[in-house]
Amino acid sequence: GMKNNIIIYHNPRWGKSRNSVGILKEKRANFIVVNYIKNPLSESELKSIAKKLGIRPKDFIRKSEKDFKALNLSKKIENDDALYLAMSKFPKLIERPIVINNDKACIGRPPEKILDII
């Protein structure tokens, strides 16, 4: 059959991410876990993810993260390129978990949302 190449961008230290991995296991999905803290995403990868999500970087950057405040990103919130650059350098800024299934993507908040695309 068709192999599902599902990717979950995941921070294992974070509970909601673990819940999303649990859902994927329950559904017996074939999936790859990418720890995006250890393997930061490039700007072009982030652009591709944003396109699949159908949103702009300002919609999946974590505004409560201390890096967001330290880098004064609220001033650059409409500047997509500046946000992609920051998110690739400071991966904690990326909202999580993000699940990609081929050309579909979603943010697992709440984790059950990923059921829509798997």
mmCIF file of all heavy atoms in Angstrom, residues 50 55-63 68 73-74 76-84 87 93 95 107:
data_model
loop_
_atom_site.group_PDB
_atom_site.id
_atom_site.type_symbol
_atom_site.label_atom_id
_atom_site.label_comp_id
_atom_site.label_asym_id
_atom_site.label_seq_id
_atom_site.Cartn_x
_atom_site.Cartn_y
_atom_site.Cartn_z
ATOM 1 N N ALA A 50 5.071 26.533 6.247
ATOM 2 C CA ALA A 50 4.057 27.590 6.335
ATOM 3 C C ALA A 50 3.075 27.483 5.177
ATOM 4 O O ALA A 50 1.858 27.645 5.346
ATOM 5 C CB ALA A 50 4.727 28.963 6.332
ATOM 6 N N ILE A 55 -0.496 29.328 6.428
ATOM 7 C CA ILE A 55 -0.416 30.482 7.334
ATOM 8 C C ILE A 55 0.931 31.180 7.181
ATOM 9 O O ILE A 55 1.847 30.668 6.538
ATOM 10 C CB ILE A 55 -0.631 30.074 8.815
ATOM 11 C CG1 ILE A 55 0.410 29.037 9.265
ATOM 12 C CG2 ILE A 55 -2.050 29.566 9.046
ATOM 13 C CD1 ILE A 55 0.271 28.592 10.709
ATOM 14 N N ARG A 56 1.045 32.346 7.777
ATOM 15 C CA ARG A 56 2.298 33.106 7.778
ATOM 16 C C ARG A 56 3.089 32.806 9.049
ATOM 17 O O ARG A 56 2.530 32.317 10.031
ATOM 18 C CB ARG A 56 1.976 34.600 7.680
ATOM 19 C CG ARG A 56 1.427 34.975 6.294
ATOM 20 C CD ARG A 56 1.080 36.448 6.227
ATOM 21 N NE ARG A 56 2.256 37.290 6.507
ATOM 22 C CZ ARG A 56 2.151 38.580 6.842
ATOM 23 N NH1 ARG A 56 0.965 39.171 6.948
ATOM 24 N NH2 ARG A 56 3.239 39.301 7.073
ATOM 25 N N PRO A 57 4.388 33.114 9.030
ATOM 26 C CA PRO A 57 5.184 32.790 10.220
ATOM 27 C C PRO A 57 4.655 33.442 11.497
ATOM 28 O O PRO A 57 4.746 32.859 12.581
ATOM 29 C CB PRO A 57 6.593 33.288 9.870
ATOM 30 C CG PRO A 57 6.450 34.130 8.659
ATOM 31 C CD PRO A 57 5.215 33.675 7.958
ATOM 32 N N LYS A 58 4.064 34.629 11.376
ATOM 33 C CA LYS A 58 3.532 35.286 12.590
ATOM 34 C C LYS A 58 2.433 34.449 13.235
ATOM 35 O O LYS A 58 2.114 34.625 14.409
ATOM 36 C CB LYS A 58 3.015 36.692 12.273
ATOM 37 C CG LYS A 58 1.787 36.716 11.393
ATOM 38 C CD LYS A 58 1.254 38.149 11.261
ATOM 39 C CE LYS A 58 -0.049 38.179 10.475
ATOM 40 N NZ LYS A 58 -0.593 39.539 10.375
ATOM 41 N N ASP A 59 1.856 33.512 12.457
ATOM 42 C CA ASP A 59 0.774 32.671 12.972
ATOM 43 C C ASP A 59 1.277 31.406 13.666
ATOM 44 O O ASP A 59 0.487 30.699 14.287
ATOM 45 C CB ASP A 59 -0.174 32.274 11.834
ATOM 46 C CG ASP A 59 -0.756 33.490 11.125
ATOM 47 O OD1 ASP A 59 -1.208 34.417 11.823
ATOM 48 O OD2 ASP A 59 -0.734 33.529 9.875
ATOM 49 N N PHE A 60 2.578 31.100 13.512
ATOM 50 C CA PHE A 60 3.074 29.929 14.261
ATOM 51 C C PHE A 60 4.409 30.195 14.939
ATOM 52 O O PHE A 60 5.211 29.303 15.160
ATOM 53 C CB PHE A 60 3.072 28.641 13.408
ATOM 54 C CG PHE A 60 4.057 28.557 12.275
ATOM 55 C CD1 PHE A 60 5.140 27.679 12.340
ATOM 56 C CD2 PHE A 60 3.884 29.309 11.116
ATOM 57 C CE1 PHE A 60 6.042 27.566 11.280
ATOM 58 C CE2 PHE A 60 4.772 29.203 10.052
ATOM 59 C CZ PHE A 60 5.858 28.328 10.142
ATOM 60 N N ILE A 61 4.609 31.466 15.290
ATOM 61 C CA ILE A 61 5.753 31.808 16.125
ATOM 62 C C ILE A 61 5.230 31.947 17.553
ATOM 63 O O ILE A 61 4.127 32.450 17.774
ATOM 64 C CB ILE A 61 6.451 33.101 15.629
ATOM 65 C CG1 ILE A 61 7.817 33.274 16.296
ATOM 66 C CG2 ILE A 61 5.574 34.332 15.826
ATOM 67 C CD1 ILE A 61 8.719 34.287 15.606
ATOM 68 N N ARG A 62 6.003 31.442 18.501
ATOM 69 C CA ARG A 62 5.562 31.454 19.906
ATOM 70 C C ARG A 62 5.878 32.808 20.538
ATOM 71 O O ARG A 62 7.016 33.077 20.898
ATOM 72 C CB ARG A 62 6.236 30.323 20.677
ATOM 73 C CG ARG A 62 5.774 28.946 20.210
ATOM 74 C CD ARG A 62 6.617 27.840 20.805
ATOM 75 N NE ARG A 62 6.749 27.974 22.233
ATOM 76 C CZ ARG A 62 5.847 27.543 23.115
ATOM 77 N NH1 ARG A 62 4.749 26.969 22.715
ATOM 78 N NH2 ARG A 62 6.049 27.705 24.399
ATOM 79 N N LYS A 63 4.821 33.607 20.679
ATOM 80 C CA LYS A 63 5.021 34.978 21.163
ATOM 81 C C LYS A 63 5.327 35.030 22.650
ATOM 82 O O LYS A 63 5.799 36.038 23.160
ATOM 83 C CB LYS A 63 3.801 35.825 20.813
ATOM 84 C CG LYS A 63 3.596 35.900 19.302
ATOM 85 C CD LYS A 63 2.292 36.599 18.920
ATOM 86 C CE LYS A 63 2.065 36.556 17.423
ATOM 87 N NZ LYS A 63 1.676 35.219 16.938
ATOM 88 N N PHE A 68 11.492 35.481 21.787
ATOM 89 C CA PHE A 68 10.629 36.416 21.037
ATOM 90 C C PHE A 68 10.780 37.827 21.603
ATOM 91 O O PHE A 68 10.935 38.799 20.867
ATOM 92 C CB PHE A 68 9.172 35.963 21.106
ATOM 93 C CG PHE A 68 8.238 36.788 20.265
ATOM 94 C CD1 PHE A 68 8.062 36.515 18.919
ATOM 95 C CD2 PHE A 68 7.525 37.851 20.813
ATOM 96 C CE1 PHE A 68 7.196 37.276 18.127
ATOM 97 C CE2 PHE A 68 6.663 38.620 20.044
ATOM 98 C CZ PHE A 68 6.507 38.331 18.688
ATOM 99 N N LEU A 73 10.890 40.790 18.500
ATOM 100 C CA LEU A 73 10.249 40.389 17.249
ATOM 101 C C LEU A 73 8.860 40.976 17.059
ATOM 102 O O LEU A 73 8.346 40.971 15.941
ATOM 103 C CB LEU A 73 10.195 38.861 17.152
ATOM 104 C CG LEU A 73 11.562 38.186 16.958
ATOM 105 C CD1 LEU A 73 11.424 36.682 17.030
ATOM 106 C CD2 LEU A 73 12.202 38.597 15.637
ATOM 107 N N SER A 74 8.266 41.496 18.118
ATOM 108 C CA SER A 74 6.944 42.111 17.932
ATOM 109 C C SER A 74 7.030 43.281 16.947
ATOM 110 O O SER A 74 6.083 43.561 16.229
ATOM 111 C CB SER A 74 6.343 42.541 19.268
ATOM 112 O OG SER A 74 7.250 43.392 19.923
ATOM 113 N N LYS A 76 8.827 43.191 14.338
ATOM 114 C CA LYS A 76 9.047 42.627 12.996
ATOM 115 C C LYS A 76 7.955 41.627 12.626
ATOM 116 O O LYS A 76 8.145 40.827 11.712
ATOM 117 C CB LYS A 76 10.403 41.915 12.962
ATOM 118 C CG LYS A 76 11.574 42.835 13.229
ATOM 119 C CD LYS A 76 12.880 42.048 13.167
ATOM 120 C CE LYS A 76 14.064 42.952 13.467
ATOM 121 N NZ LYS A 76 15.264 42.172 13.776
ATOM 122 N N ILE A 77 6.842 41.681 13.330
ATOM 123 C CA ILE A 77 5.835 40.630 13.210
ATOM 124 C C ILE A 77 5.278 40.485 11.784
ATOM 125 O O ILE A 77 4.868 39.406 11.384
ATOM 126 C CB ILE A 77 4.710 40.825 14.270
ATOM 127 C CG1 ILE A 77 3.957 39.526 14.518
ATOM 128 C CG2 ILE A 77 3.774 41.960 13.909
ATOM 129 C CD1 ILE A 77 4.725 38.491 15.287
ATOM 130 N N GLU A 78 5.282 41.559 11.011
ATOM 131 C CA GLU A 78 4.779 41.496 9.626
ATOM 132 C C GLU A 78 5.891 41.183 8.619
ATOM 133 O O GLU A 78 5.635 41.065 7.421
ATOM 134 C CB GLU A 78 4.096 42.812 9.229
ATOM 135 C CG GLU A 78 2.837 43.138 10.028
ATOM 136 C CD GLU A 78 1.723 42.090 9.890
ATOM 137 O OE1 GLU A 78 1.659 41.388 8.861
ATOM 138 O OE2 GLU A 78 0.919 41.974 10.838
ATOM 139 N N ASN A 79 7.120 41.054 9.111
ATOM 140 C CA ASN A 79 8.251 40.795 8.220
ATOM 141 C C ASN A 79 8.541 39.288 8.201
ATOM 142 O O ASN A 79 9.262 38.767 9.040
ATOM 143 C CB ASN A 79 9.464 41.596 8.710
ATOM 144 C CG ASN A 79 10.695 41.389 7.836
ATOM 145 O OD1 ASN A 79 10.805 40.397 7.111
ATOM 146 N ND2 ASN A 79 11.629 42.319 7.933
ATOM 147 N N ASP A 80 7.942 38.605 7.218
ATOM 148 C CA ASP A 80 8.041 37.141 7.178
ATOM 149 C C ASP A 80 9.492 36.657 7.176
ATOM 150 O O ASP A 80 9.841 35.733 7.908
ATOM 151 C CB ASP A 80 7.307 36.584 5.950
ATOM 152 C CG ASP A 80 5.790 36.736 6.059
ATOM 153 O OD1 ASP A 80 5.312 37.329 7.047
ATOM 154 O OD2 ASP A 80 5.081 36.249 5.153
ATOM 155 N N ASP A 81 10.337 37.295 6.348
ATOM 156 C CA ASP A 81 11.719 36.825 6.250
ATOM 157 C C ASP A 81 12.463 36.947 7.579
ATOM 158 O O ASP A 81 13.226 36.054 7.956
ATOM 159 C CB ASP A 81 12.481 37.590 5.155
ATOM 160 C CG ASP A 81 11.998 37.197 3.755
ATOM 161 O OD1 ASP A 81 11.443 36.083 3.612
ATOM 162 O OD2 ASP A 81 12.168 37.995 2.817
ATOM 163 N N ALA A 82 12.220 38.037 8.288
ATOM 164 C CA ALA A 82 12.869 38.218 9.594
ATOM 165 C C ALA A 82 12.418 37.139 10.569
ATOM 166 O O ALA A 82 13.221 36.606 11.346
ATOM 167 C CB ALA A 82 12.557 39.610 10.151
ATOM 168 N N LEU A 83 11.132 36.788 10.516
ATOM 169 C CA LEU A 83 10.624 35.755 11.422
ATOM 170 C C LEU A 83 11.172 34.376 11.056
ATOM 171 O O LEU A 83 11.552 33.601 11.931
ATOM 172 C CB LEU A 83 9.091 35.729 11.432
ATOM 173 C CG LEU A 83 8.370 36.990 11.929
ATOM 174 C CD1 LEU A 83 6.876 36.716 12.126
ATOM 175 C CD2 LEU A 83 8.964 37.549 13.208
ATOM 176 N N TYR A 84 11.213 34.057 9.753
ATOM 177 C CA TYR A 84 11.792 32.766 9.351
ATOM 178 C C TYR A 84 13.234 32.643 9.820
ATOM 179 O O TYR A 84 13.657 31.595 10.298
ATOM 180 C CB TYR A 84 11.739 32.590 7.831
ATOM 181 C CG TYR A 84 10.366 32.308 7.269
ATOM 182 C CD1 TYR A 84 9.869 33.055 6.195
ATOM 183 C CD2 TYR A 84 9.567 31.289 7.786
ATOM 184 C CE1 TYR A 84 8.612 32.793 5.666
ATOM 185 C CE2 TYR A 84 8.307 31.024 7.257
ATOM 186 C CZ TYR A 84 7.837 31.774 6.194
ATOM 187 O OH TYR A 84 6.600 31.512 5.674
ATOM 188 N N MET A 87 13.259 32.036 13.544
ATOM 189 C CA MET A 87 12.774 30.696 13.883
ATOM 190 C C MET A 87 13.799 29.624 13.519
ATOM 191 O O MET A 87 13.878 28.587 14.176
ATOM 192 C CB MET A 87 11.450 30.423 13.166
ATOM 193 C CG MET A 87 10.286 31.224 13.754
ATOM 194 S SD MET A 87 8.892 31.390 12.574
ATOM 195 C CE MET A 87 7.799 30.092 13.062
ATOM 196 N N LEU A 93 11.186 29.081 19.124
ATOM 197 C CA LEU A 93 10.151 30.027 18.696
ATOM 198 C C LEU A 93 9.049 29.359 17.872
ATOM 199 O O LEU A 93 8.010 29.956 17.638
ATOM 200 C CB LEU A 93 10.782 31.141 17.849
ATOM 201 C CG LEU A 93 11.640 32.155 18.599
ATOM 202 C CD1 LEU A 93 12.421 33.009 17.614
ATOM 203 C CD2 LEU A 93 10.773 33.036 19.497
ATOM 204 N N GLU A 95 6.015 27.131 16.928
ATOM 205 C CA GLU A 95 4.860 26.482 17.559
ATOM 206 C C GLU A 95 4.960 24.984 17.297
ATOM 207 O O GLU A 95 5.447 24.550 16.264
ATOM 208 C CB GLU A 95 3.570 27.063 16.936
ATOM 209 C CG GLU A 95 2.318 26.639 17.648
ATOM 210 C CD GLU A 95 2.376 26.935 19.134
ATOM 211 O OE1 GLU A 95 2.855 26.071 19.903
ATOM 212 O OE2 GLU A 95 1.942 28.011 19.530
ATOM 213 N N ILE A 107 -0.941 21.958 13.004
ATOM 214 C CA ILE A 107 -0.322 22.126 14.319
ATOM 215 C C ILE A 107 -1.188 21.353 15.308
ATOM 216 O O ILE A 107 -2.399 21.536 15.341
ATOM 217 C CB ILE A 107 -0.244 23.616 14.686
ATOM 218 C CG1 ILE A 107 0.700 24.335 13.709
ATOM 219 C CG2 ILE A 107 0.232 23.798 16.128
ATOM 220 C CD1 ILE A 107 0.702 25.843 13.820
#
